[in-house]
Amino acid sequence: MSARRAAAAAGLPTHMPARDVQDHIDGLLALGMTIPMISRAAGITATGLRRIAAGEWEHVRYRTAGAILDVDHVPHPRQSRCLAIGARRRVNALVAAGWPMEKIAGRAGTSLDSLRNFLRRSIIDYSSWSAINRVYEELSGAMGPSRNAATKARSLGFQLPMEWEGYDIDDPRVTPPKARRRSQEPRGGLDAGERRDRRAEVARLTAAGLSSDEIATRLGIDPRTVVRDRSVA
């Protein structure tokens, strides 16, 4: 007996009102997602999702509703296309940290022209987002070699990777606070003495054999901050 039939036989509800699901779909569409993007992430057909979104059904199976409600703005491996904003923000943050576009493109396995094209789009292939995300994880823990790239990027208002720590870089609704974004202190407002003390503590804990994640948890900081502190120790 299927789970649905078993629930029905036990007198348990198998469907829920469609209104909450419709509201969730509307919210995702407002962020710039498309019906195919949502349906692929949820693992259901685009036709079924459209009918729910259009209000054709008053009730939705709990399993289907749960799959849809689990979808958010973050790109999903089942999607062939996804929101580009997170990839664009990652590239801009790396340039602000001194990483030239040419090096970012090379590490992502694409051409400079293709990378620039990505930055102009609102939707890109999931594979492109994934490649840029991988490069971001590789490079965001250290400053790049190009001071000119960093200076130009910051003059355009691009946030540094460290300014995105604690914020969802893929969420179109999220931007680090202006005060933090304009700060000339890229380590979150710490003065030189506080940074020196933190780096010394990171060095001590590293020597004691703790991992980056363990140190981050103990000090209440982001693991990438630990990586950066180690690189300048």
Side-chain angles (χ1 to χ4, degrees):
M1 182 182 294
S2 69
R4 179 171 62 85
R5 289 179 178 177
L12 299 175
T14 59
H15 290 66
M16 65 174 285
R19 184 67 263 172
D20 288 345
V21 182
Q22 292 164 0
D23 288 344
H24 186 67
I25 295 171
D26 288 343
L28 296 175
L29 293 173
L31 295 179
M33 295 182 70
T34 65
I35 289 292
M37 287 163 57
I38 301 169
S39 65
R40 281 177 176 265
I44 67 174
T45 67
T47 299
L49 189 73
R50 285 192 181 93
R51 295 185 70 178
I52 296 171
E56 294 184 23
W57 295 333
E58 293 185 2
H59 295 83
V60 182
R61 290 180 182 176
Y62 272 110
R63 183 176 180 179
T64 300
I68 296 171
L69 293 173
D70 281 343
V71 177
D72 60 16
H73 56 276
V74 179
H76 191 284
R78 283 198 295 260
Q79 295 172 323
S80 59
R81 308 272 285 169
C82 62
L83 293 179
I85 188 169
R88 181 167 60 251
R89 285 170 166 177
R90 285 176 173 86
V91 172
N92 290 343
L94 289 177
V95 177
W99 293 102
M101 290 272 286
E102 294 86 347
K103 186 172 288 292
I104 297 170
R107 286 199 173 229
T110 189
S111 68
L112 179 59
D113 286 343
S114 293
L115 182 62
R116 286 174 172 161
N117 189 34
F118 294 157
L119 301 184
R120 292 192 291 266
R121 297 180 180 179
S122 59
I123 295 175
I124 59 174
D125 294 340
Y126 175 83
S127 59
S128 298
W129 176 89
S130 181
I132 292 172
N133 181 54
R134 172 180 53 78
V135 174
Y136 186 78
E137 292 302 313
E138 293 172 354
L139 300 181
S140 62
M143 298 300 290
S146 176
R147 180 173 296 181
N148 288 338
T151 299
K152 182 177 180 180
R154 293 181 203 176
S155 73
L156 295 173
F158 295 165
Q159 290 94 339
L160 290 161
M162 63 194 70
E163 292 179 292
W164 279 107
E165 291 175 5
Y167 296 92
D168 188 344
I169 198 169
D170 286 298
D171 192 336
R173 299 162 295 189
V174 172
T175 303
K178 290 183 178 180
R180 187 175 186 178
R181 186 167 64 243
R182 289 198 299 261
S183 172
Q184 298 302 308
E185 173 46 61
R187 293 289 188 255
L190 299 181
D191 61 31
E194 290 171 323
R195 289 199 307 277
R196 185 168 55 249
D197 291 344
R198 187 189 66 204
R199 288 169 182 166
E201 185 64 7
V202 167
R204 185 185 71 79
L205 294 174
T206 298
L210 274 69
S211 69
S212 296
D213 287 341
E214 290 170 332
I215 295 172
T217 299
R218 181 169 298 192
L219 299 183
I221 58 179
D222 191 279
R224 286 195 290 265
T225 301
V226 176
V227 174
R228 279 192 293 271
D229 284 353
R230 283 174 167 175
S231 70
V232 299

